[in-house]
Amino acid sequence: NKCLSVLCLPLSSGQDSVEQSSREMPANEGAQVIVMCTYTTSGTPDLFWYKQHPNRSPTLILSQYTTEPDFKKRFSATLNSTSRTFPLMIKNLHVSDSAVYYCALRSIVMETHSTLIQEQRKCSVI
């Protein structure tokens, strides 16, 4: 649980926060959906999307810089620094896409990307 809260839940310390719709998004197989994420930060944004199936550890889908190989074909997100949004687009929905999606914000000043990767690996082991 501690690892989960670090990686996936909205940050609320200082001026940094992430907001996303908590409602369910029903959609048909083969459709396209957009999961919204709005962020607030006093520094430079460093954003990530995670996917979590029940009783499983979160899986990194993408960051604002790179997309994980397993998700490249159908998942994408583009950072809009003007509107402060980082919406996740999922194309050609599969049944296996039914999951909880988390938008996460990191402060580039406070933590490095390598630290995040190490923590994410630890989280996956749990």
Side-chain angles (χ1 to χ4, degrees):
N1 287 339
K2 186 176 180 183
C3 190
L4 253 176
S5 63
V6 169
L7 291 174
C8 306
L9 299 180
L11 293 176
S12 57
S13 59
Q15 296 180 354
D16 293 353
S17 66
V18 175
E19 293 180 14
Q20 62 184 115
S21 175
S22 58
R23 61 185 170 82
E24 291 185 12
M25 296 179 64
N28 295 325
E29 195 171 2
Q32 175 179 299
V33 296
I34 295 175
V35 186
M36 187 53 68
C37 171
T38 304
Y39 68 89
T40 302
T41 181
S42 54
T44 304
D46 193 17
L47 292 150
F48 305 83
W49 274 105
Y50 291 86
K51 175 182 181 179
Q52 185 179 24
H53 288 289
N55 304 314
R56 295 281 192 89
S57 297
T59 301
L60 176 65
I61 300 172
L62 54 79
S63 73
Q64 65 199 69
Y65 309 107
T66 59
T67 303
E68 294 298 295
D70 290 348
F71 296 97
K72 278 188 175 179
K73 288 185 179 180
R74 301 185 300 110
F75 291 74
S76 62
T78 303
L79 175 66
N80 186 325
S81 55
T82 304
S83 62
R84 296 191 172 192
T85 56
F86 190 53
L88 175 68
M89 180 185 291
I90 310 172
K91 299 177 181 176
N92 186 23
L93 273 178
H94 295 178
V95 173
S96 60
D97 295 331
S98 180
V100 176
Y101 293 86
Y102 294 96
C103 181
L105 170 68
R106 283 279 178 158
S107 170
I108 294 175
V109 176
M110 297 301 291
E111 302 192 51
T112 65
H113 191 65
S114 60
T115 302
L116 177 73
I117 291 171
Q118 289 167 9
E119 289 181 1
Q120 199 270 332
R121 284 177 183 156
K122 287 178 187 173
C123 189
S124 297
V125 171
I126 292 173

